[in-house]
Amino acid sequence: MIVSWIKSFSKPAEERKPLFEKLMSDSYRQAYQMAYRFTSNRVDAEDLLQETYVRAYRFFHRYDETMPFTSWLYRIMTNIHIDSVRKNSRLRTVSIDQGNPETGSTWEIADDSNQADHNMVSNSLDEPFQLALKAMTPEFRMAVILADIDGMSYEEIADVMDTSVGTVRSRIHRGRKQMKEYLQASFPDSLPEVTN
Amino acid sequence: MSNCHRIKSLLSAYIDREMTGEEAYQIREHISQCASCELEFEELRRVKHLLSTLPAVEPSEHLLDQVKANVFTDEPKPAISRKGIVVTTSMAAAMLFLTFALMQWIQVKQGGTNGLVPADEMVATDVRTVGDRASGAPVYMPVNLASAPE
Ligand SMILES: [Zn+2]
């Protein structure tokens, strides 16, 4: 592990660029799926993807090649996403406490984006599931997405989310329960029988 | 029936086959005799099935090129996002530089330091939401921040 770290660290920039470019071309579709399911809309998904690759390239010298590139990339993406969710929820709290719609709230950007998210989600075919994902606790949502949409094992998810397998187990279970309860309450017909 | 609570908490791991054979055997046995846990198991299995069969979302045609352009240039182009402009860290640095240049211009025009606005104050007044610059998270700025003087 240390050897490969040193190896990638010692690679000159002109060697690292084509390697990163190739990894990026190979991974961006899959990474976009993740970003879209995390954020629930295209605009935020593109921003998240953009930010993830920019940061990944900045820290590419730290990439340990024994780890799959997508796992490393998702680790960066989940961190950025969690940060941005926390920041937005903080802004919304401020907006509820201090915002004044009459005078034009200083914090209106956060609130408007929330409404915009909803509008964009409503236009998509898998609306119920995307809204259910959006309603979930962010950590649960990410664990469930990594497991069910990307098909990762609990151990891989633990690696990506930098936590224990036990925590992943609990996040996935609680996440699926949140999703089930949301769908049963809001879209009662959306949980059909599984035939297999 | 406190056993049901324990069994239910393990159902997702059971569905994902993320447990030992012994645990899986216990759960299988319990489900075959308990309607409540069996129903919970079926519903959770449906949730997993639905998520794993969601159709893939196609990224826009030029996304890869846009991302590459941002990754490989020192001054990434800002992505237009909703009402504000999302600016990356280096863009924010460029904005600060422009602010500084503008201050110099004001200073020259007024022939003294009287009209000088400290950079911190200017940022605090004009920038609506400042992101975490160290982490490179997006920084939101109002669209008209950089509007040029006449
Ligand atoms: Zn039971």
Side-chain angles (χ1 to χ4, degrees):
Chain A
M1 189 187 268
I2 292 167
V3 173
S4 80
W5 183 81
I6 293 167
K7 220 168 65 192
S8 65
F9 182 74
S10 59
K11 267 192 192 115
E14 61 271 23
E15 238 182 85
R16 276 188 278 133
K17 188 184 163 182
L19 175 61
F20 189 84
E21 205 169 353
K22 185 180 184 308
L23 289 167
M24 201 159 100
S25 302
D26 292 346
S27 62
Y28 89 100
R29 279 176 184 277
Q30 201 185 344
Y32 180 75
Q33 302 301 315
M34 292 299 103
Y36 180 79
R37 298 302 173 192
F38 282 176
T39 60
S40 299
N41 76 70
R42 287 179 173 276
V43 176
D44 287 345
E46 288 183 8
D47 285 353
L48 177 58
L49 192 79
Q50 194 99 249
E51 192 60 33
T52 300
Y53 280 114
V54 167
R55 208 182 290 186
Y57 189 56
R58 200 183 300 153
F59 294 105
F60 194 42
H61 56 277
R62 291 196 203 160
Y63 168 54
D64 166 13
E65 285 167 62
T66 57
M67 190 184 196
F69 181 71
T70 45
S71 297
W72 185 69
L73 197 71
Y74 292 168
R75 183 185 283 185
I76 296 171
M77 189 184 278
T78 51
N79 284 333
I80 296 174
H81 181 57
I82 282 282
D83 282 353
S84 114
V85 167
R86 288 205 184 117
K87 204 174 292 160
N88 278 333
S89 67
R90 215 164 43 227
L91 289 182
R92 281 182 196 129
T93 311
V94 171
S95 138
I96 291 161
D97 293 346
Q98 302 173 356
N100 185 346
E102 304 290 317
T103 57
S105 165
T106 326
W107 304 99
E108 68 188 25
I109 288 176
D111 283 340
D112 283 355
S113 73
N114 192 28
Q115 185 56 42
D117 283 359
H118 191 273
N119 293 343
M120 272 179 265
V121 168
S122 306
N123 292 335
S124 69
L125 285 172
D126 44 51
E127 178 196 342
F129 315 111
Q130 201 56 55
L131 286 175
L133 281 172
K134 198 167 153 50
M136 280 159 71
T137 308
E139 282 85 354
F140 300 173
R141 172 172 65 228
M142 290 189 290
V144 166
I145 288 172
L146 291 168
D148 294 349
I149 298 181
D150 206 71
M152 280 187 165
S153 71
Y154 286 13
E155 208 177 323
E156 287 170 311
I157 298 168
D159 230 12
V160 167
M161 298 189 80
D162 203 15
T163 189
S164 68
V165 171
T167 303
V168 169
R169 194 189 254 217
S170 145
R171 282 179 182 173
I172 287 175
H173 186 65
R174 292 162 77 186
R176 285 200 192 125
K177 274 187 76 165
Q178 280 185 348
M179 183 158 206
K180 170 175 92 82
E181 279 153 21
Y182 181 92
L183 291 173
Q184 282 171 338
S186 309
F187 302 92
D189 301 328
S190 62
L191 274 180
E193 296 282 339
V194 180
T195 44
N196 57 348
Chain B
M1 266 297 182
S2 70
N3 196 29
C4 283
H5 185 74
R6 192 182 74 86
I7 295 288
K8 280 179 178 161
S9 75
L10 292 170
L11 285 175
S12 277
Y14 175 68
I15 291 164
D16 295 331
R17 295 169 206 267
E18 290 272 1
M19 54 173 47
T20 63
E22 176 60 29
E23 280 177 308
Y25 174 77
Q26 280 177 27
I27 289 169
R28 206 161 33 242
E29 284 293 293
H30 181 93
I31 285 176
S32 67
Q33 294 155 24
C34 174
S36 163
C37 285
E38 193 195 11
L39 178 66
E40 178 99 356
F41 163 70
E42 281 302 331
E43 287 171 344
L44 289 171
R45 203 162 70 99
R46 270 178 239 164
V47 168
K48 184 186 168 76
H49 178 78
L50 283 168
L51 283 171
S52 58
T53 53
L54 280 182
V57 187
E58 275 299 303
S60 70
E61 205 185 330
H62 305 294
L63 182 62
L64 182 61
D65 291 337
Q66 283 167 5
V67 175
K68 276 185 185 174
N70 267 311
V71 168
F72 297 124
T73 49
D74 291 325
E75 281 197 358
K77 298 178 199 90
I80 304 299
S81 173
R82 298 176 290 275
K83 271 187 157 181
I85 295 175
V86 174
V87 250
T88 59
T89 311
S90 55
M91 191 64 192
M95 290 283 225
L96 282 177
F97 176 77
L98 279 174
T99 308
F100 182 72
L102 181 64
M103 279 158 45
Q104 295 285 2
W105 179 81
I106 291 167
Q107 195 178 346
V108 168
K109 201 177 175 186
Q110 299 194 343
T113 51
N114 291 346
L116 195 65
V117 184
D120 285 346
E121 227 175 273
M122 215 158 161
V123 169
T125 332
D126 291 350
V127 178
R128 291 188 183 197
T129 312
V130 181
D132 179 7
R133 280 172 202 184
S135 74
V139 179
Y140 293 89
M141 294 201 178
V143 181
N144 60 356
L145 176 69
S147 56
E150 283 129 15

